[in-house]
Amino acid sequence: MTVLRPHAEDQYTDELAILAKHDDRPRPPGWRLSPWAVTTYLLGDPDHPGGVITPKYIGPRRIVEVAVATLATDRALLLLGVPGTAKTWLSEHLAAAVCGDSTLLVQGTAGTAEEAVRYGWNYARLLAEGPSREALTPSPVMRAMAEGRLARVEELTRMPSDVQDALITVLSEKTLPIPELNEEVQAAKGFNVIATANDRDRGVNELSSALRRRFNTVVLPVPASAEEEVDIVSRRVAQLGRSLELPETPAGLEEIRRVVTVFRELRSGVTVDGRTKVKSPSGTLSTAEAISVVTSGLALAAHFGDGVLRPSDVAAGIVGAVVQDPVSDRVVWREYLEAVVREREDWRDFYRACRDVV
């Protein structure tokens, strides 16, 4: 029985092995690859002597180099950006390439407890035997420290402030005290933390200045151009289609380009030709949402259509992504539909499909 979504280190085992075999550059303590090879793994190399290395992240090379170099120092890495800029994706692949394990993960939520960052207890053993190493339940961060691996903290700013601050001693002293046992866990070489956060969601808890100083912040941008975003969406949709074992369908590049164009225009508040200003909806309309819309459209085309991605297959997904607020966003969408989409001669089928959904 195969898993729905393999971990990065499992899905790209062959590429990681190729890079390790041909990697003759210096490797930081505890790293499986050199920083140069990690960057190659992330950005891809079609001409690598060992075989094709597919790109995992499409964006400025310098951003990736700074992120990788940070992990080779004693500072933790904070990936910051609006939702949908591949923060989690980049975090996972960084961990897979650096230490071969992307599973040491803390998911930040409003309900995340301090035990998720430090440690907890097996209360049955604690009551029966008293405090002991055997009764202690290590957190992913504690395991990463002991094993010299990377720990990942997702949505750091969604965690309560007191839980965030549990990381301060870990990041500054590279030590996790266990006062109940009069012991401590000291970080082995290779340990570091990759955290992600975004500044668009409501209900976030700002990082304290003491904690922020322990991180080197790398801001992940939205794709710079429409062609770059189309490339990202096309690649990820193809990967998801294979993973979900969707029936083979044509690439549907025209519809992908149309979805990306709609999202970029509504995000920026102006059409691509710069002639018409449009209102922006309340949602982020990220690249990740474009990928979701197109993947859903491919499923519709494969199972309920003729196997060709058409405007009617993506219309419902686009409307669902744009209209987050049923009142204000619906007005924004209708104005865009009538003022922009309707006026484009080659978008008539798309206009009618969207009108049917609205």
Side-chain angles (χ1 to χ4, degrees):
M1 183 178 180
T2 58
V3 298
L4 181 61
R5 185 187 183 280
H7 297 301
E9 58 271 23
D10 298 326
Q11 186 173 358
Y12 295 97
T13 300
D14 293 342
E15 293 187 17
L16 290 168
I18 288 172
L19 288 165
K21 181 179 179 180
H22 292 81
D23 187 12
D24 57 0
R25 294 172 181 262
R27 305 181 187 184
W31 284 40
R32 295 196 172 190
L33 298 172
S34 68
W36 181 271
V38 172
T39 302
T40 301
Y41 168 77
L42 290 167
L43 297 176
D45 183 0
D47 302 317
H48 192 277
V52 175
I53 306 299
T54 58
K56 319 303 180 301
Y57 176 77
I58 299 174
R61 181 181 183 88
R62 197 58 176 174
I63 285 180
V64 175
E65 291 175 342
V66 171
V68 173
T70 295
L71 294 175
T73 70
D74 63 345
R75 289 176 66 83
L77 173 64
L78 176 62
L79 299 175
L80 186 67
V82 300
T85 47
K87 299 183 296 297
T88 298
W89 182 255
L90 182 57
S91 166
E92 178 184 1
H93 283 282
L94 278 168
V98 170
C99 67
D101 186 358
S102 63
T103 65
L104 298 175
L105 172 68
V106 176
Q107 180 60 58
T109 69
T112 300
E114 193 172 331
E115 287 80 3
V117 174
R118 299 177 70 242
Y119 53 85
W121 297 97
N122 180 328
Y123 286 101
R125 298 197 67 166
L126 183 64
L127 291 173
E129 306 169 6
S132 67
R133 273 283 187 165
E134 291 71 26
L136 186 145
T137 304
S139 70
V141 175
M142 185 176 181
R143 288 178 53 202
M145 294 178 71
E147 299 169 11
R149 299 179 183 270
L150 295 182
R152 298 167 54 210
V153 181
E154 289 294 311
E155 301 292 353
L156 177 61
T157 53
R158 287 198 162 276
M159 295 163 56
S161 298
D162 57 329
V163 180
Q164 293 177 9
D165 288 345
L167 285 168
I168 291 178
T169 301
V170 170
L171 297 181
S172 60
E173 305 297 329
K174 302 298 187 282
T175 298
L176 179 59
I178 311 175
E180 296 90 342
L181 303 179
N182 196 28
E183 296 180 15
E184 65 181 12
V185 174
Q186 291 185 302
K189 289 184 177 181
F191 166 73
N192 213 327
V193 173
I194 308 173
T196 67
N198 74 72
D199 53 4
R200 287 290 300 272
D201 286 350
R202 298 186 181 92
V204 299
N205 300 297
E206 289 295 329
L207 301 182
S208 66
S209 58
L211 182 57
R212 187 175 284 276
R213 286 198 305 272
R214 270 69 181 182
F215 283 100
N216 186 30
T217 301
V218 173
V219 179
L220 299 186
V222 296
S225 68
E227 288 304 318
E228 184 177 298
E229 192 163 1
V230 168
D231 187 24
I232 294 171
V233 174
S234 300
R235 290 175 183 274
R236 284 294 293 134
V237 166
Q239 291 172 346
L240 286 171
R242 290 192 295 269
S243 175
L244 298 171
E245 297 185 18
L246 291 175
E248 286 292 331
T249 57
L253 188 60
E254 181 181 352
E255 296 308 322
I256 292 175
R257 193 179 304 279
R258 188 150 27 211
V259 171
V260 168
T261 299
V262 170
F263 278 24
R264 291 181 71 88
E265 289 181 335
L266 288 172
R267 278 202 310 257
S268 63
V270 65
T271 55
V272 289
D273 58 11
R275 295 178 180 178
T276 307
K277 291 186 177 181
V278 297
K279 295 178 181 177
S280 296
S282 59
T284 56
L285 300 182
S286 65
T287 307
E289 289 168 297
I291 293 168
S292 178
V293 168
V294 176
T295 303
S296 177
L298 284 176
L300 283 170
H303 295 298
F304 300 104
D306 58 2
V308 178
L309 188 64
R310 301 187 185 279
S312 58
D313 299 316
V314 298
I318 288 181
V319 174
V322 174
V323 183
Q324 298 292 315
D325 184 305
V327 179
S328 61
D329 288 346
R330 191 172 296 277
V331 172
V332 170
W333 174 242
R334 283 177 174 167
E335 288 182 1
Y336 175 78
L337 206 58
E338 298 300 327
V340 178
V341 177
R342 185 179 183 181
E343 299 304 315
R344 292 173 173 164
E345 290 291 336
D346 55 342
W347 283 36
R348 290 297 175 85
D349 289 347
F350 179 71
Y351 171 74
R352 286 192 291 269
C354 291
R355 286 288 297 176
D356 290 342
V357 175
V358 174

